Amino acid sequence: MKLKLGIIYGILIWLLTYIISNIFQPVMIENIIYMNIIVPISIIIVAGFFGILYIRNFNENEVIEGIKVGILFIIIDIICDMLFFIIPNNQNALVLNYPLHIAYMVIIILIITTLLGYLAQMNIELK
């Protein structure tokens, strides 16, 4: 496991999810339920992108690496949430319903990184 790279990608995932959710908050909050749509979609897009960047550096045990980096991304998300929102008591759309946010992160991140690891181990021949 490349811990330094995983930590950098985890912080970038958290930061980009926060930025994307804040950009689309004024646009979407009037039309649909903000927390149930925007945050999971941004998590999927950002985690998928950085998961691909991380997993493509491995040639064996990609599924195990996907699970490990998924757990690392979740731990980094929780730490960043605690440092920036929970402990200073800053209200943000990401932490309005914090248990739901954690559930999104755990389920989505683990599924994405594990599936990326599974897909990375497949030999695909395009003819």
Side-chain angles (χ1 to χ4, degrees):
M1 177 174 205
K2 297 181 179 180
L3 190 61
K4 184 178 177 181
L5 185 64
I7 291 171
I8 291 170
Y9 285 167
I11 292 171
L12 286 173
I13 288 171
W14 180 84
L15 183 66
L16 289 174
T17 301
Y18 170 72
I19 290 170
I20 290 170
S21 63
N22 279 335
I23 288 172
F24 287 106
Q25 179 182 8
V27 174
M28 301 300 274
I29 200 155
E30 296 173 359
N31 299 325
I32 55 177
I33 300 172
Y34 168 71
M35 193 64 191
N36 291 334
I37 297 294
I38 298 301
V39 175
I41 289 174
S42 63
I43 291 170
I44 290 168
I45 293 169
V46 175
F49 177 75
F50 286 107
I52 289 170
L53 291 179
Y54 183 84
I55 293 292
R56 72 178 180 177
N57 294 323
F58 295 95
N59 292 328
E60 55 187 39
N61 296 328
E62 291 95 344
V63 175
I64 302 298
E65 288 298 326
I67 294 169
K68 286 180 187 177
V69 80
I71 292 169
L72 180 65
F73 289 167
I74 292 165
I75 291 170
I76 290 171
D77 180 77
I78 293 170
I79 291 171
C80 288
D81 286 344
M82 291 292 175
L83 289 176
F84 293 104
F85 300 124
I86 304 297
I87 294 172
N89 202 16
N90 293 333
Q91 291 299 322
N92 185 324
L94 288 176
V95 294
L96 287 177
N97 191 352
Y98 195 65
L100 185 62
H101 173 71
I102 293 298
Y104 283 150
M105 284 301 294
V106 170
I107 293 168
I108 293 171
I109 295 288
L110 282 179
I111 288 174
I112 287 174
T113 56
T114 305
L115 286 176
L116 286 174
Y118 176 72
L119 292 173
Q121 74 180 4
M122 297 175 80
N123 291 328
I124 299 172
E125 295 181 27
L126 301 175
K127 291 185 179 185

